[in-house]
Amino acid sequence: MNKVILIGNLTRDPELTETPTGVSVCKFAIAVSRDYASSDGTRETDFFNITVWRGRAENCGRYLKKGNKVAVIGSLQTRSYEDKDGIKRNVIDVVANEVEFLTPKNAQGEGEELPVKNGHPQLEEIDDNSLPF
């Protein structure tokens, strides 16, 4: 089984292109902080290259931008290439099957501002007695 689930922030704006046959492809990178801190208290970050295809690629290219938080579900693919000095390089990419946009609309400059507490958007509290169930 080859499945990976990542949540992170875009490190740059996505690049939306098309193959010669007209298939949309979007590439971007995300930074994912590790869950634990090192002995000196710092948290390390890993960086992953993401590739998205077809309609999902078009949505990513249209709506995502640097700094947005996303959840990505996909698989790992390895590839090799020779750099300009003739050295063989190996790369691991994540090919995304699903991309969930996690940045609230207000953080993208759209919609109403949600109140923020401890760095997280806060939803309006609802009185349980007003619920119809």
Side-chain angles (χ1 to χ4, degrees), residues 17-53:
T17 59
E18 284 188 356
T19 66
T21 58
V23 177
S24 297
V25 60
C26 185
K27 295 185 177 197
F28 56 90
I30 62 172
V32 179
S33 297
R34 295 185 183 174
D35 286 341
Y36 54 88
S38 64
S39 59
D40 67 356
T42 60
R43 289 181 63 178
E44 300 220 9
T45 302
D46 295 302
F47 298 89
F48 297 93
N49 295 318
I50 312 294
T51 303
V52 189
W53 292 92

Side-chain angles (χ1 to χ4, degrees), residues 50-113:
I50 312 294
T51 303
V52 189
W53 292 92
R54 297 179 177 75
R56 191 165 283 117
E58 293 171 14
N59 286 334
C60 288
R62 185 176 301 126
Y63 297 112
L64 291 178
K65 63 182 180 180
K66 180 180 177 177
N68 285 161
K69 183 177 286 291
V70 294
V72 174
I73 300 174
S75 59
L76 298 177
Q77 281 189 357
T78 59
R79 61 184 168 88
S80 303
Y81 69 95
E82 279 191 24
D83 67 11
K84 63 182 179 180
D85 299 323
I87 299 171
K88 184 178 179 180
R89 302 284 183 183
N90 294 312
V91 180
I92 298 175
D93 293 317
V94 176
V95 178
N97 298 326
E98 299 177 47
V99 179
E100 184 77 24
F101 302 170
L102 300 178
T103 299
K105 280 187 177 182
N106 65 338
Q108 296 179 17
E110 304 171 12
E112 291 183 29
E113 292 275 337

